[in-house]
Amino acid sequence: MRLTSMPLPVLSRVLATALLFATPAFAQSSAPPNTGNNFKDTSVIKPPAGARVAIFEFEDLECPACAHAAPIVHAAIDKYKIPLVRHDFPLKMHIWSRDAAITARYIQDKISPQLADDYRRSVFAAQTSIGSKDDLQRFTQKYFQAHGHVMPFVIDPNGLFAAEVQADTTLGERVGLSQTPTIFVVSQKNWVQVTDVNYLYSTIDTMLAQTPASTPAPNSKLKKPLSPQK
């Protein structure tokens, strides 16, 4: 039977089913609507295993828009108790952002993740007073001293942390980034690019509503083991 000869309700159901299966499992949208970027490969845009919803972000420590977004993003993860999947994406036009990211990786690995997160926030807060690599060096030395640590003469002698930052940069290039910050709210099924951080909370609310918490399967009653035959 041709579709045009089907009754209208039946035809509607057929078309709806076809559209459902034609829609990618990992759908793209943005907040506000119709403001998102075109990406090349979004297969990596997903939350950690077991997380209902997460914020997935690419940031540049020298980027003013990233500095503006950072406190809003961190307030959101504190409010909603969701993970932040953060990646460094230092833009080539910025002078010192890559060095700052390498230092943050050093602090995270050698001292503590909490202090590394605080360092990133402190860099954002002082961003307008850091105009060169020398400024960053002086800022970082004072930061180490203020927190009771000695800044090493060479932060990354083996290039380990530089390689980590480069891996993030390569990942961003694979996605097809064109700006920072690039922020997504993600679930295991879909993602929304948040192009205006004023929409971050409402986007998380919507995503959580669309992603109900999984309920554990009821415990099955254990069967009494069979007695061995005599």
Side-chain angles (χ1 to χ4, degrees), residues 40-154:
K40 296 188 296 185
D41 181 359
T42 59
S43 61
V44 297
I45 309 300
K46 50 191 169 185
R52 288 172 61 197
V53 171
I55 297 175
F56 195 105
E57 179 183 20
F58 290 90
E59 73 175 18
D60 176 329
L61 288 166
E62 199 174 341
C63 165
C66 295
H68 171 71
I72 301 172
V73 168
H74 283 84
I77 63 174
D78 289 341
K79 171 181 170 61
Y80 290 97
K81 310 301 180 187
I82 60 176
L84 169 63
V85 182
R86 178 172 50 207
H87 296 281
D88 288 301
F89 194 76
L91 299 174
K92 293 179 181 179
M93 63 184 176
H94 285 158
I95 299 170
W96 52 261
S97 60
R98 184 174 179 274
D99 290 351
I102 290 171
T103 299
R105 296 299 182 109
Y106 169 88
I107 296 173
Q108 179 174 329
D109 188 71
K110 300 296 184 180
I111 303 177
S112 78
Q114 293 76 20
L115 195 64
D117 190 61
D118 182 76
Y119 174 78
R120 289 176 182 271
R121 297 195 205 190
S122 298
V123 170
F124 281 138
Q127 194 181 73
T128 56
S129 66
I130 304 174
S132 65
K133 290 190 175 187
D134 288 340
D135 288 344
L136 177 68
Q137 180 82 357
R138 286 188 288 269
F139 170 85
T140 303
Q141 285 176 337
K142 291 179 180 178
Y143 183 86
F144 271 77
Q145 292 170 359
H147 291 81
H149 296 279
V150 176
M151 180 177 172
F153 183 71
V154 179

Side-chain angles (χ1 to χ4, degrees), residues 197-218:
V197 289
N198 292 318
Y199 286 75
L200 182 60
Y201 280 41
S202 60
T203 304
I204 295 172
D205 287 333
T206 300
M207 189 73 78
L208 287 170
Q210 294 174 350
T211 314
S214 59
T215 54

